[in-house]
Amino acid sequence: KRRTAETDLLDTCILLLNDGSGSMSGDKFQTTAKASALCNDAFARVLHIPLCVAAFTTSGPVPVIGIMKGFNETVSDDQMADRFYDFSGRMSGNNDADSLLWAFNEIVKRKEKRKVIIVLSDGSPADGLGDPSYALKQTTDTILKDGRVDLYGIGIMDTNVKRFYPKHKVI
């Protein structure tokens, strides 16, 4: 079987990491849930690219990760919406650095040639030991220097992603 540029491109897995902190409540969380459902349609259903959708918040000082869709799971739009709704009851703080490290450790276990993490967030980290903004910048720099994972930030109605993610867009 011959490999082509197209098949190499599709040898990809994606992890969408959604900010589920209190500042994301309302329109912002609805926007990230809709964006996740659209990505699920495009990547998982149409292109058959393994996709994990997760959200993060904190419970006290402890990071909490909610899996909306696992890599090997098929999820309908209604199921995705229900899972985001259920997670919205846990919205609290945001320890971005620890949550991003969790995502990195999950995705590097995958066999696909290309690994992509896309973080959807409305602002700056607010939880964690020490300076959470510094910790996130150090974490993104470490992941980018490692080179095994492509990292993108999507700002949800906020431009703070540009401070942490060299490759970023704002919606």
Side-chain angles (χ1 to χ4, degrees):
K1 203 172 184 187
R2 269 206 233 157
R3 295 195 79 147
T4 65
E6 184 176 308
T7 57
D8 280 348
L9 180 65
L10 294 178
D11 188 18
T12 298
C13 62
I14 300 169
L15 195 152
L16 287 182
L17 185 62
N18 295 276
D19 182 345
S21 65
S23 65
M24 287 287 291
S25 64
D27 288 344
K28 291 178 182 180
F29 204 61
Q30 287 177 356
T31 299
T32 195
K34 287 177 186 175
S36 294
L38 290 171
C39 287
N40 185 43
D41 285 339
F43 297 132
R45 290 190 195 146
V46 175
L47 296 174
H48 305 289
I49 292 174
L51 173 72
C52 176
V53 179
F56 66 93
T57 189
T58 58
S59 176
V62 179
V64 174
I65 305 292
I67 305 297
M68 309 302 155
K69 180 199 173 302
F71 280 112
N72 299 316
E73 184 180 17
T74 301
V75 175
S76 71
D77 288 345
D78 288 341
Q79 288 172 309
M80 181 86 68
D82 288 345
R83 291 174 183 187
F84 269 94
Y85 177 78
D86 290 344
F87 190 84
S88 70
R90 304 188 82 181
M91 297 172 86
S92 183
N94 58 321
N95 186 332
D96 296 53
D98 286 347
S99 301
L100 183 56
L101 282 173
W102 170 85
F104 175 78
N105 287 325
E106 287 299 307
I107 204 164
V108 295
K109 297 175 193 173
R110 300 286 305 178
K111 65 177 176 38
E112 290 81 10
K113 184 176 179 180
R114 184 172 185 219
K115 298 161 181 59
V116 179
I117 297 174
I118 304 170
V119 179
L120 294 92
S121 178
D122 74 334
S124 298
D127 285 331
L129 299 174
D131 180 348
S133 292
Y134 177 78
L136 178 57
K137 184 65 177 141
Q138 290 300 112
T139 302
T140 58
D141 288 349
T142 299
I143 289 171
L144 292 170
K145 185 182 242 183
D146 177 271
R148 291 182 284 172
V149 175
D150 294 332
L151 184 59
Y152 300 91
I154 305 291
I156 306 297
M157 302 175 194
D158 191 286
T159 61
N160 269 303
V161 293
K162 68 182 177 184
R163 294 178 33 218
F164 306 105
Y165 302 94
K167 295 177 183 174
H168 63 274
K169 294 289 180 198
V170 176
I171 56 174

